[in-house]
Amino acid sequence: RRRRRRPEGGREGVPARTRAAAAGKMAATGCVRLLGNWSWSWCRARAGAAVSSLAFTARHQSSQNNTIQRRKEAVTSLSKPPWPETKLPDPIEEAKHHLEVVQNVKELITAGAYGRLFAVVHFASRQWKVTNEDLILIENHIEAGCGDRIRLEKVLLVGGDDFTLIGRPLLGRDLVRVEATVIEKTESWPRIHFRFKRRKRYRRKNINIQPQTVLRINTIEVAPALS
């Protein structure tokens, strides 16, 4: 007998229940051909049992596939951070709060109720935290002479008892004014750097003297010019 050709799509496009029913019918037909018409009821019962078992297997496999597809992703530190999510504030409320804070700081500055001010200034490649009547030692000479009064323009921060103004990165010149006086121009103690290698007739001696300048902070003033 010639074998029937399978469709080009194969079994992939046929549902599981249809395949089970077709297998049951083929089993029943084979039983009739082998045993005759007298055993039709017995073959039919066996074919029904085979169809039900195949259908149950197909449903079980489909349920397993659906379960695998619907499986939820495990919550880990990579998928979700362990800390709670932060809610950003409302921009309108934040703007109102900013205006209130600026107004309160302006009132304090106008009334002079800010106590003793301090500032962080950038001078001579370093940052200095200073207040009134402080002395700072700079490891360099500056162009100003002894007794000259200078202004430190690079002010990064200024603060009082109840507020602190932080620049981004500097505060405006019309907002903060820090003045200092050159007290002394001198030199450091000699620093001797000596290198020696025994039995090699190798000796080197260097003497380093660093110029120094002493400044006294006179005033730190804040103007109510916040924006």
Side-chain angles (χ1 to χ4, degrees):
R1 296 179 182 179
R2 294 181 180 180
R3 296 182 180 180
R4 295 181 180 178
R5 294 183 180 180
R6 295 181 179 178
E8 296 180 358
R11 295 186 178 181
E12 296 178 357
V14 181
R17 294 183 178 179
T18 306
R19 293 201 304 267
K25 290 181 180 180
M26 290 175 63
T29 305
C31 291
V32 170
R33 289 178 178 175
L34 291 174
L35 301 177
N37 296 330
W38 61 272
S39 60
W40 169 252
S41 60
W42 180 82
C43 291
R44 189 174 182 181
R46 297 294 296 174
V51 169
S52 62
S53 63
L54 290 174
F56 173 76
T57 305
R59 287 197 301 270
H60 181 65
Q61 291 179 356
S62 62
S63 63
Q64 285 184 347
N65 294 335
N66 294 334
T67 305
I68 293 174
Q69 292 177 0
R70 295 175 184 176
R71 187 176 65 179
K72 296 182 179 179
E73 183 180 358
V75 178
T76 61
S77 59
L78 299 177
S79 61
K80 185 178 181 181
W83 54 84
E85 296 182 0
T86 56
K87 295 182 179 180
L88 297 177
D90 188 8
I92 299 176
E93 296 181 357
E94 190 175 4
K96 292 181 180 179
H97 179 67
H98 175 72
L99 292 176
E100 293 177 359
V101 171
V102 169
Q103 187 64 28
N104 293 336
V105 173
K106 282 184 178 180
E107 293 177 358
L108 291 174
I109 294 174
T110 305
Y114 43 73
R116 187 174 185 180
L117 294 175
F118 68 93
V120 176
V121 297
H122 185 275
F123 190 76
S125 302
R126 289 185 59 183
Q127 293 183 9
W128 310 83
K129 181 184 177 183
V130 296
T131 185
N132 291 338
E133 302 302 326
D134 277 358
L135 293 175
I136 58 176
L137 179 64
I138 299 171
E139 297 288 339
N140 201 349
H141 277 170
I142 61 176
E143 295 180 359
C146 292
D148 293 345
R149 194 180 183 96
I150 61 175
R151 179 180 178 181
L152 308 180
E153 297 183 351
K154 294 182 179 181
V155 182
L156 286 77
L157 180 146
V158 66
D161 293 340
D162 300 325
F163 66 89
T164 301
L165 304 179
I166 302 175
R168 295 185 300 180
L170 302 176
L171 294 172
R173 296 185 59 185
D174 56 344
L175 180 62
V176 185
R177 185 181 182 89
V178 180
E179 293 185 354
T181 303
V182 181
I183 300 298
E184 184 182 2
K185 281 187 166 184
T186 181
E187 294 178 348
S188 65
W189 287 93
R191 299 175 183 176
I192 300 174
H193 182 65
F194 183 75
R195 292 173 292 174
F196 168 75
K197 295 181 182 179
R198 63 177 182 175
R199 295 191 298 271
K200 301 296 182 181
R201 295 184 181 181
Y202 179 86
R203 294 186 180 186
R204 297 291 184 272
K205 183 178 181 181
N206 296 328
I207 300 175
N208 298 326
I209 298 176
Q210 183 72 24
Q212 295 178 343
T213 303
V214 181
L215 299 179
R216 181 185 295 276
I217 305 300
N218 300 121
T219 58
I220 300 176
E221 299 176 355
V222 181
L226 292 175
S227 58

